[in-house]
Amino acid sequence: MLTRNRGGHAPLRYGLPAMSATDFDPRSYWDRRLKRNFNLHGVGFSTLSRSYNRWLYRVRRVVFHRLLRKLDVNLATAKVLDVGPGIGFYVNLWQRNGVSDITGVDIADSAVARLRKRYPTARFEQADISDDVSHLGADYDIVDAFDILFHIVDDDRYEAAMKNIYRMLKPGGWFVFSDNFVHSETVRTRNHVSRSIDDISDAVRKAGFQILERRPMFVLMNWPVDRRGALQQVLWRKIVPALKHERGGNVLGAAMTPFELVLTKVRKESPTTEIMICRKPA
């Protein structure tokens, strides 16, 4: 079975029956995982090749820069909170685009310790975004949560995370996050929940946000969890064996990336991960 990433982050085995989340300890899970493999492969699709993961993150980098053009904010003076920085993929992108005031909050102690060494000018704290995070402040211009919130398997804690993020933003601040936004019933596994688009939208609006836009992060190159992508699911199962090998992952990644970059630009929806842009009312 295929594993999912944590956008910088973690595994999901699709096709499994729903499982109880009571025995899942996300903090210890991520701590062990990042201690073993503190790189893109460790925070990406762990059962797929390193070469394919590198192509996935090239797509993420392009999609991220497109996203920046949609945010009405001066990055040079912006204060950014990165939820679940993992190995710092998005911290690096924010810094490269002129952001100097960055805070990262990660559930894994091992990630925080290494991030502090890798990015000494940024601030990193260990915390669960669905717990009390008032110590992180409440004056951010932008909060991002890429491929993170669907790992909050408890629905009440999912809503709590949304409300915490709302409180941490300045009036008029931006919240950008990725999820799967399925058009069918919610898909649950032990460490991942692909919630329906209605449930996610309700949680976002209940927190107080205005939803402005939703665009694909991937179209072809990520597992099509939405049932509307049934044909893609069949095709994915056929190519997964090749993606597990370095040569196959590199060849297929190189072949699909140009099409992916076009599709993520022109499509408004996809059967896999999308980004939602929200704003706290001024």
Side-chain angles (χ1 to χ4, degrees):
M1 290 297 177
L2 185 62
T3 61
R4 241 234 47 109
N5 76 314
R6 197 187 171 196
H9 315 247
L12 159 66
R13 292 178 294 167
Y14 288 107
L16 295 181
M19 301 174 66
S20 170
T22 56
D23 62 340
F24 178 59
D25 181 356
R27 182 174 180 179
S28 60
Y29 171 83
W30 283 113
D31 201 49
R32 291 194 304 270
R33 183 179 171 93
L34 294 177
K35 278 181 179 177
R36 286 197 309 267
N37 211 0
F38 196 74
N39 52 42
L40 290 180
H41 190 240
V43 298
F45 288 83
S46 61
T47 60
L48 302 187
S49 65
R50 294 175 183 271
S51 59
Y52 189 69
N53 273 280
R54 286 193 292 270
W55 285 108
L56 290 175
Y57 277 93
R58 290 177 186 177
V59 173
R60 285 189 175 92
R61 186 177 294 110
V62 173
V63 172
F64 176 84
H65 284 103
R66 290 176 187 161
L67 171 68
L68 291 186
R69 294 194 288 268
K70 297 178 179 292
L71 305 183
D72 181 19
V73 60
N74 182 356
L75 294 179
T77 60
K79 186 173 182 179
V80 174
L81 176 67
D82 182 14
V83 178
I87 65 167
F89 178 77
Y90 289 103
V91 173
N92 180 56
L93 292 183
W94 285 118
Q95 288 185 340
R96 286 177 175 270
N97 283 276
V99 178
S100 59
D101 193 341
I102 303 176
T103 297
V105 54
D106 203 285
I107 198 170
D109 298 86
S110 58
V112 171
R114 298 181 77 165
L115 286 166
R116 286 172 177 168
K117 294 180 180 180
R118 180 173 288 187
Y119 301 99
T121 62
R123 170 194 176 197
F124 296 98
E125 301 290 343
Q126 188 282 321
D128 184 331
I129 192 62
S130 60
D131 285 333
D132 179 9
V133 288
S134 56
H135 63 287
L136 296 176
D139 56 350
Y140 294 96
D141 298 286
I142 304 170
V143 175
D144 76 63
F146 293 115
D147 296 358
I148 297 298
L149 298 180
F150 45 37
H151 289 296
I152 303 176
V153 295
D154 182 89
D155 292 339
D156 290 336
R157 294 182 74 87
Y158 185 87
E159 289 192 3
M162 293 285 186
K163 292 176 181 177
N164 285 341
I165 291 169
Y166 182 88
R167 285 193 292 268
M168 288 189 287
L169 279 167
K170 293 178 180 178
W174 299 86
F175 173 39
V176 291
F177 72 102
S178 61
D179 215 305
N180 288 325
F181 301 98
V182 297
H183 288 72
S184 55
E185 295 180 0
T186 293
V187 180
R188 295 180 183 271
T189 68
R190 181 169 177 262
N191 68 326
H192 187 288
V193 179
S194 292
R195 292 176 173 85
S196 72
I197 184 173
D198 290 337
D199 287 347
I200 296 172
S201 299
D202 286 346
V204 170
R205 293 192 177 101
K206 186 176 179 180
F209 287 108
Q210 297 173 338
I211 298 174
L212 302 182
E213 190 173 350
R214 181 167 50 86
R215 303 288 295 192
M217 175 178 274
F218 292 105
V219 177
L220 298 175
M221 294 177 68
N222 197 359
W223 171 256
V225 63
D226 200 319
R227 288 179 183 174
R228 294 177 307 155
L231 177 60
Q232 264 181 258
Q233 290 181 7
V234 173
L235 296 175
W236 252 88
R237 291 190 178 98
K238 290 183 179 297
I239 68 170
V240 161
L243 297 179
K244 292 182 177 181
H245 299 283
E246 292 301 324
R247 184 176 180 183
N250 192 45
V251 170
L252 288 172
M256 288 192 286
T257 294
F259 296 99
E260 189 72 298
L261 294 179
V262 172
L263 289 172
T264 54
K265 186 175 183 178
V266 302
R267 292 278 297 268
K268 293 185 176 180
E269 288 191 330
S270 84
T272 184
T273 311
E274 299 172 329
I275 294 175
M276 179 173 276
I277 304 174
C278 308
R279 199 166 192 183
K280 181 175 182 176

